[in-house]
Each structure stands twice: as C-alpha cells, then as structure tokens.
Amino acid sequence: MLITANDRLFVLTGAGISAESGLATFRGSGGLWNGYRVEEVATPEAWQHDPLLVWRFYSMRRRDALAAQPNAAHLALASYEQQLGDRFYLCTQNVDDLHERAGSVRVHHMHGTLFQSRCTRCDRVFPDQSFYESAAALPACSSCGAPVRPHIVWFGEIPLDMDAIDRQLNRATVLLVVGTSGSVYPAAGFVHIARQRGACTIYIGPEEPLNNGAFDQILLGAATEALPALLLHA
Ligand code: OAD
C-alpha cells in the first residue's frame, strides 16, 4: 500500500492529467506549442510585442477547456479529497478548471487560471470566460482603463503563492505527481524538496519524467487508469 488514510497527501498535477479529456499537453506530439512557439505566446515579452496574438491563443485555450469534461483521474482525486479532508492538498500547473468541475475544493493553480483575467495596472483579478480575438475587442479594466491580460503565470514570472506550497510540502508524508514532464521549475523541484523532508514520492504517467531519479515509485500508465487504481486501494 503506497498511500494510507493517515497520510498527508500533496498532489502535483500537470497537463497529462487533462490529456484524456482532450486537452493537448505542451511537449508531446500534437502538443500545444506545435502551432505556436512558446516565446510567441507565454512570456511578458510576447505580451508587450503582440497582445492580440496572446489573447487569441488564450481564447483558443478557453474554448478548448470549456468543451472538455473532467475524466476519471480528476474524479478520483476529488473523491479521495473527501476522505482525507484537510490532509489533502492539490497543486496544479494546469490552468483549466477540470479539477474544480470534478469536485476538488483544495486546489491551488500555481500557474494561474484560464478563466480569470487581471488588470496590468491595478492588478485587479476578475472572473472572465470571454474570447478576445480582434484588436477592437481587446479588453480594458473597468476600474482604471488599463489593458487586461490573462491571469496566467508566464515564463520568467513567479508562480502564485509559493509560500503556501512550501508549507504544504513541509507537512506532506506523500507526494503524488501526475502527468507532468518534470521539465519546468519550480514545480519540477517539488519532488526533491519532499524527498529531503522524508516524504514518499510517487509518479504516475505513461512515460518517465525528466526528474525520474527522485521518485520512490513510478507507476507507468495513463492517469485515468493508474490513478483510480492507486487511490482505490489507499
Ligand atoms: P508537459 O507537456 O511538459 O508534459 C505532459 C506530461 O504528461 C508528459 O510527461 C506525458 O508523458 C504525460 N502524459 C501524457 N498523457 C498522459 C496521460 N494520459 N496520463 C498521464 N500523463 C500523461 O506538461 P507539463 O509538465 O504540465 O507552464 O508542463 C509544465 C508547464 O509547462 C505548464 O504548466 C506550462 C508549460 O509551459 C506555463 O504555462 C507557465
């Protein structure tokens, strides 16, 4: 038994958990960046250079996420959270809302969320499901009139609420990582921190991640199969 009902579980998810819901991963074949180079759409420089391209990209991702449904892996995590309560913490690199729609409550989106936008001047964050796909439609802040950007953490920016993440990593007895290539830091380093602090570290995905050496267990398989199987016996 890798996880017991007495454990304090920190779950880190990546694009792979939403792959079977039809949302493209970043680095696989058919990955999201195939049509767009990452530096064209997910950096502050890209935003300065071409905000319309950036908004078209995130509008496309909003459309895709709205059409997707949570899968068995999202549902298994939500159901396990009900058993563990406050001993469960879910940190996702994903900006889709499939964890919430599956019923997860204790979710932290370290790379931001697709369905919020933020004022570039007054930093007001607000819910937003709109699509902005022409220069005339680009949004402005209703409080101060400045341009509004996606509430997404871009390359070169600091992930949201790293203090809370660190506190939770400190307390976890098990770190369960699902569907992330282990190539983007700081998330790729969580396994090293958890391991140093004595937690058991488990990875689930169809292929080994880049940081594979730091895991105690690697369960090769699709998230919708391997994750429910693991949590069913926990
Ligand atoms: P990647 O695209 O780098 O990796 C996706 C991982 O999912 C790969 O390791 C696949 O093997 C795995 N995978 C594919 N299908 C799967 C399935 N059915 N079940 C489980 N795993 C599966 O995506 P991330 O690691 O999430 O950041 O990328 C990390 C960050 O890089 C993203 O949050 C994003 C991106 O740039 C920002 O936008 C800031």
Side-chain angles (χ1 to χ4, degrees):
M1 191 172 290
L2 298 174
I3 307 175
T4 73
N6 294 322
D7 275 309
R8 187 173 275 280
L9 181 61
F10 186 119
V11 183
L12 172 68
T13 61
I17 197 165
S18 296
E20 291 166 89
S21 293
L23 298 182
T25 61
F26 294 92
R27 293 174 183 80
S29 58
L32 198 52
W33 306 127
N34 287 358
Y36 291 94
R37 285 187 296 129
V38 59
E39 60 274 19
E40 282 177 326
V41 287
T43 63
E45 293 74 24
W47 173 253
Q48 292 302 328
H49 179 67
D50 192 347
L52 177 56
L53 179 71
V54 172
W55 263 124
R56 283 161 100 171
F57 175 71
Y58 285 103
S59 297
M60 173 194 81
R61 295 189 61 193
R62 283 182 177 180
R63 252 183 239 290
D64 290 347
L66 282 169
Q69 296 301 326
N71 64 44
H74 299 106
L75 292 166
L77 286 176
S79 151
Y80 202 61
E81 179 182 357
Q82 292 197 341
Q83 278 187 52
L84 288 193
D86 284 338
R87 284 178 291 111
F88 178 98
Y89 182 76
L90 173 54
C91 176
T92 185
Q93 297 167 87
N94 298 345
V95 295
D96 66 58
D97 61 349
L98 296 180
H99 283 305
E100 286 89 345
R101 283 203 270 141
S104 287
V105 178
R106 296 162 181 85
V107 189
H108 174 55
H109 286 269
M110 65 179 289
H111 290 165
T113 62
L114 268 180
F115 297 111
Q116 288 184 319
S117 297
R118 184 171 88 234
C119 174
T120 53
R121 186 188 299 147
C122 70
D123 280 340
R124 191 175 66 89
V125 174
F126 59 95
D128 189 3
Q129 296 204 342
S130 302
F131 311 123
Y132 304 113
E133 293 169 318
S134 70
L138 286 181
C141 177
S142 60
S143 304
C144 75
V148 161
R149 60 168 274 180
H151 187 43
I152 301 278
V153 176
W154 288 325
F155 286 93
E157 297 181 328
I158 297 169
L160 304 177
D161 209 350
M162 288 300 296
D163 287 348
I165 292 174
D166 196 58
R167 276 197 303 279
Q168 293 289 342
L169 277 176
N170 226 351
R171 303 160 82 190
T173 58
V174 177
L175 174 78
L176 172 61
V177 178
V178 185
T180 171
S181 55
S183 54
V184 174
Y185 283 79
F190 292 176
V191 63
H192 301 287
I193 298 169
R195 199 182 164 93
Q196 272 170 8
R197 296 176 186 173
C200 166
T201 55
I202 306 168
Y203 181 79
I204 287 180
E207 59 198 354
E208 303 224 347
L210 286 181
N211 52 2
N212 56 1
F215 287 96
D216 297 314
Q217 296 272 344
I218 293 190
L219 306 175
L220 287 180
T224 56
E225 288 165 21
L227 187 56
L230 174 71
L231 296 181
L232 190 67
H233 300 295

